[in-house]
Amino acid sequence: MNNLISIKSATLSEDIAQQLTNAIVQGHIPQGSKISEPELAKQYGVSRGPLREAIVKLEGLGLVTRTANVGARVIQLNTQDMLDTFTMREALEGMAARLAASTMPADEINSLYSLLDKHQAHLDANQDEHYVQQGGNDDFHLRIIHASGNAKLIRLLTEELYAVIRMYRRHTADQRSDPRQALREHKAILDAIANHEGDLAELLMRRHISRASQLLKQAMEHSSVASRT
Amino acid sequence: MNNLISIKSATLSEDIAQQLTNAIVQGHIPQGSKISEPELAKQYGVSRGPLREAIVKLEGLGLVTRTANVGARVIQLNTQDMLDTFTMREALEGMAARLAASTMPADEINSLYSLLDKHQAHLDANQDEHYVQQGGNDDFHLRIIHASGNAKLIRLLTEELYAVIRMYRRHTADQRSDPRQALREHKAILDAIANHEGDLAELLMRRHISRASQLLKQAMEHSSVASRT
DNA sequence: TCAAGTTAGATTGTCGACAATTTATTGGTT
DNA sequence: AACCAATAAATTGTCGACAATCTAACTTGA
């Protein structure tokens, strides 16, 4: 069903890993479900070899858990794990904001201000409809992370943790969030960075993420999705 | 050469991953060297299947880098990567200390004070010889991390990042470090935790790690090891 | 002598099949 | 009817072999 959208990668294993990641994040493979190697191999038209390598990669990304001689299962989103993950985000993205405050070049900062203006215009035009900034270069948080200049931090946040974070964002749909409030917070963070106030930038980024996690928590507790607490 | 010390795991792949990790961290497989699948497979007496899975895992741990159709190479320690990694540690372990300050039970705190007394006694008895706290339950940092109670944070720091950190610790041997100063800093951090002063605990932990990274930086710049800057 | 193209060798990527383990089914006993 | 043991089916773990790709050696020409 999914081998139509085949992202050409150098190796089959990477390809499968990419497709499986998307399938899990977007919910095509349901949470908690078992990963059957023969079934998926047939579905994607590959042998079990590269498929297994892909599964090992997904385990590293925290998207599946594996048990020896039993197999892999897709993770179950639950409130506690979400809070734990977002606490890590607080620490890491807070640090990213701090670093950005001392290294981000002026033209990059201006470019980010333009991006926020664009978001503002979108809200004005679309009656506060939530702006879906899924992954791309329009994602404020990704831009800050990259501006940190710390290669290890960038890799960790954008390659290893991002899939899970996207999963939480998606499955709870951010329905309770207030986009205008989020935008105000983004602006405040950027102001701190522009003024080279690292302490403040870190503090604001932390509060911003903390607030988002509290909203997510409420959303999760009031929805059928992901309740295994 | 290494299949004598075979740590019995449920699966060959895990076994190999474990042994390869140790071999790399301890320098038996030199930095920057190529990982030859046929060679290692013969050496460990397994086929290439589980070996490849192990290599994929090592890539996730950041111990090797892989290139499609070319193969895997052991990472090269260099000053910039070390600084980037330790900046992440600052953020993460700082957060761990903060969390520990609000959740660590009294008996655990007392147990940690005893550990620091033990370290003190060791320094008194052995003329300030550096106390090798390699990984075990005697490692102050690991104890704090576990006391955070954040499962995601624990996994990230102790399973995914720890191998690389151990590599830096080992290859530079901490020769310039002052064990008594480090011990004083540990005590100050623990005091803050005991007093439930999260802000202070985080601040002190950050300074402590920052200081360690500066020492490591000097050590690396004055040694032949790991200079590719 | 050096450079580029070509060929030979070796290594990685992928596959299908077998062995080991787990899970499901069946049958028997209390 | 429910529980346990034994067997059958299915799944995971491992292996050896082939195909695709890269690396190194060799040849050829300027």
Side-chain angles (χ1 to χ4, degrees):
Chain A
M1 110 204 201
N2 274 336
N3 54 359
L4 302 172
I5 335 146
S6 82
I7 308 103
K8 269 282 172 298
S9 263
T11 161
L12 267 183
S13 167
E14 290 175 32
D15 228 343
I16 303 293
Q18 193 66 48
Q19 295 198 44
L20 276 181
T21 300
N22 287 337
I24 290 177
V25 169
Q26 292 171 12
H28 296 154
I29 304 179
Q31 294 177 35
S33 67
K34 189 168 181 329
I35 300 284
S36 165
E37 292 182 9
E39 187 184 325
L40 278 186
K42 191 189 289 181
Q43 207 165 85
Y44 287 103
V46 297
S47 101
R48 279 179 52 223
L51 180 67
R52 279 176 67 89
E53 281 191 18
I55 294 177
V56 172
K57 276 183 202 160
L58 291 210
E59 186 187 22
L61 294 180
L63 288 177
V64 305
T65 57
R66 261 163 38 108
T67 321
N69 293 315
V70 173
R73 299 197 89 87
V74 179
I75 56 162
Q76 276 273 16
L77 299 190
N78 70 314
T79 307
Q80 188 56 55
D81 281 1
M82 186 277 288
L83 290 175
D84 283 0
T85 303
F86 273 63
T87 298
M88 275 181 28
R89 263 191 82 192
E90 254 185 76
L92 292 168
E93 290 201 34
M95 177 61 81
R98 169 186 290 274
L99 295 173
S102 51
T103 67
M104 200 169 184
D107 56 338
E108 259 289 327
I109 293 177
N110 288 331
S111 160
L112 251 186
Y113 271 118
S114 307
L115 176 64
L116 293 187
D117 285 343
K118 203 171 104 187
H119 287 178
Q120 177 84 57
H122 182 274
L123 289 180
D124 291 341
N126 299 28
Q127 296 151 340
D128 293 9
E129 175 201 307
H130 184 69
Y131 195 92
V132 185
Q133 41 185 1
Q134 178 110 276
N137 196 39
D138 280 3
D139 188 317
F140 179 78
H141 287 266
L142 281 185
R143 295 279 289 267
I144 300 291
I145 292 165
H146 279 107
S148 75
N150 184 320
K152 301 286 178 183
L153 190 60
I154 294 171
R155 179 171 122 94
L156 178 61
L157 277 169
T158 65
E159 293 178 26
E160 299 186 35
L161 291 179
Y162 213 62
V164 178
I165 294 172
R166 270 172 61 202
M167 234 177 128
Y168 280 109
R169 273 196 192 171
R170 172 167 198 88
H171 284 271
T172 51
D174 279 291
Q175 282 165 347
R176 293 170 176 267
S177 78
D178 175 356
R180 289 192 180 276
Q181 171 66 15
L183 185 54
R184 274 193 297 274
E185 291 174 7
H186 284 178
K187 270 194 174 122
I189 293 169
L190 187 52
D191 284 342
I193 291 174
N195 292 330
H196 305 295
E197 299 182 281
D199 289 344
L200 182 59
E202 174 167 25
L203 176 73
L204 292 177
M205 178 62 89
R206 281 206 189 182
R207 280 201 195 156
H208 174 58
I209 293 176
S210 172
R211 188 175 156 283
S213 82
Q214 289 307 314
L215 290 172
L216 259 181
K217 182 185 174 192
Q218 290 175 22
M220 288 177 78
E221 283 171 352
H222 290 72
S223 97
S224 58
V225 184
S227 53
R228 202 195 41 171
T229 322
Chain B
M1 112 203 198
N2 274 335
N3 54 0
L4 303 172
I5 334 146
S6 82
I7 308 103
K8 270 281 173 296
S9 263
T11 162
L12 267 183
S13 168
E14 291 176 31
D15 227 343
I16 303 293
Q18 193 66 48
Q19 295 197 43
L20 277 182
T21 300
N22 286 337
I24 290 176
V25 169
Q26 292 171 11
H28 296 155
I29 305 179
Q31 293 177 36
S33 68
K34 189 166 179 332
I35 301 282
S36 164
E37 293 182 8
E39 187 184 326
L40 279 186
K42 190 190 289 182
Q43 207 165 86
Y44 287 103
V46 297
S47 101
R48 279 178 53 222
L51 181 68
R52 278 177 68 89
E53 281 191 18
I55 294 177
V56 172
K57 276 183 202 158
L58 291 210
E59 186 186 22
L61 294 181
L63 287 177
V64 304
T65 57
R66 262 163 37 109
T67 321
N69 294 314
V70 174
R73 298 196 91 88
V74 178
I75 56 162
Q76 276 273 14
L77 298 189
N78 69 315
T79 307
Q80 187 57 55
D81 282 0
M82 186 277 287
L83 290 175
D84 283 0
T85 303
F86 273 63
T87 298
M88 275 181 29
R89 265 191 80 193
E90 254 185 75
L92 293 169
E93 291 201 34
M95 177 61 81
R98 169 186 291 274
L99 295 174
S102 51
T103 66
M104 200 169 183
D107 57 336
E108 257 290 327
I109 293 177
N110 288 332
S111 160
L112 250 186
Y113 271 117
S114 307
L115 175 65
L116 292 188
D117 285 344
K118 203 171 103 186
H119 287 178
Q120 177 85 57
H122 183 274
L123 289 181
D124 291 342
N126 299 28
Q127 297 152 338
D128 293 10
E129 175 201 306
H130 184 69
Y131 195 91
V132 185
Q133 40 186 2
Q134 178 110 278
N137 197 38
D138 281 2
D139 188 316
F140 179 79
H141 287 267
L142 281 185
R143 296 279 289 266
I144 300 291
I145 291 165
H146 280 107
S148 75
N150 184 320
K152 300 286 179 183
L153 190 59
I154 294 171
R155 179 172 121 94
L156 178 62
L157 276 169
T158 66
E159 292 178 30
E160 300 187 35
L161 291 179
Y162 212 63
V164 178
I165 293 173
R166 269 173 61 204
M167 236 178 127
Y168 280 108
R169 274 197 192 170
R170 173 167 198 86
H171 283 272
T172 51
D174 279 292
Q175 283 165 346
R176 293 171 175 265
S177 78
D178 176 355
R180 290 194 179 275
Q181 170 68 15
L183 184 55
R184 274 194 297 274
E185 292 174 5
H186 285 178
K187 269 195 176 126
I189 292 168
L190 186 52
D191 285 341
I193 291 173
N195 292 329
H196 304 296
E197 298 182 280
D199 287 345
L200 182 59
E202 175 167 24
L203 176 72
L204 292 177
M205 179 62 89
R206 282 207 189 181
R207 280 201 196 155
H208 174 59
I209 293 175
S210 171
R211 189 175 156 282
S213 82
Q214 289 307 313
L215 289 172
L216 258 181
K217 182 184 174 191
Q218 290 174 22
M220 289 177 76
E221 284 172 350
H222 291 73
S223 98
S224 58
V225 184
S227 53
R228 203 196 42 170
T229 322

